[in-house]
Amino acid sequence: MDRNGQEAAGCVHHCARLLAGLDGARVHPFVAAARALDIYSRARELPPFAWEIGR
């Protein structure tokens, strides 16, 4: 979910990539806690727009 309330659904991998590249983004509050933590921890390890640098 971005700062404007727009939502995008996806798997953990793609949500983490998206979260890493968006300022003010967050995981939807209804996502299971374990899955949300997995997304945040993966996003923390990625640079913004990792696909542009081949990561």
Side-chain angles (χ1 to χ4, degrees), residues 2-37:
D2 70 9
R3 68 174 74 189
N4 298 318
Q6 297 294 316
E7 297 180 22
C11 65
V12 170
H13 171 78
H14 287 103
C15 287
R17 287 180 162 268
L18 188 58
L19 185 64
L22 291 175
D23 288 331
R26 61 188 173 92
V27 176
H28 196 282
F30 295 123
V31 172
R35 190 164 286 154
L37 289 173

Side-chain angles (χ1 to χ4, degrees), residues 28-53:
H28 196 282
F30 295 123
V31 172
R35 190 164 286 154
L37 289 173
D38 191 15
I39 293 169
Y40 278 116
S41 63
R42 289 180 188 214
R44 188 176 19 182
E45 297 174 5
L46 292 169
F49 310 107
W51 57 89
E52 292 184 351
I53 58 173

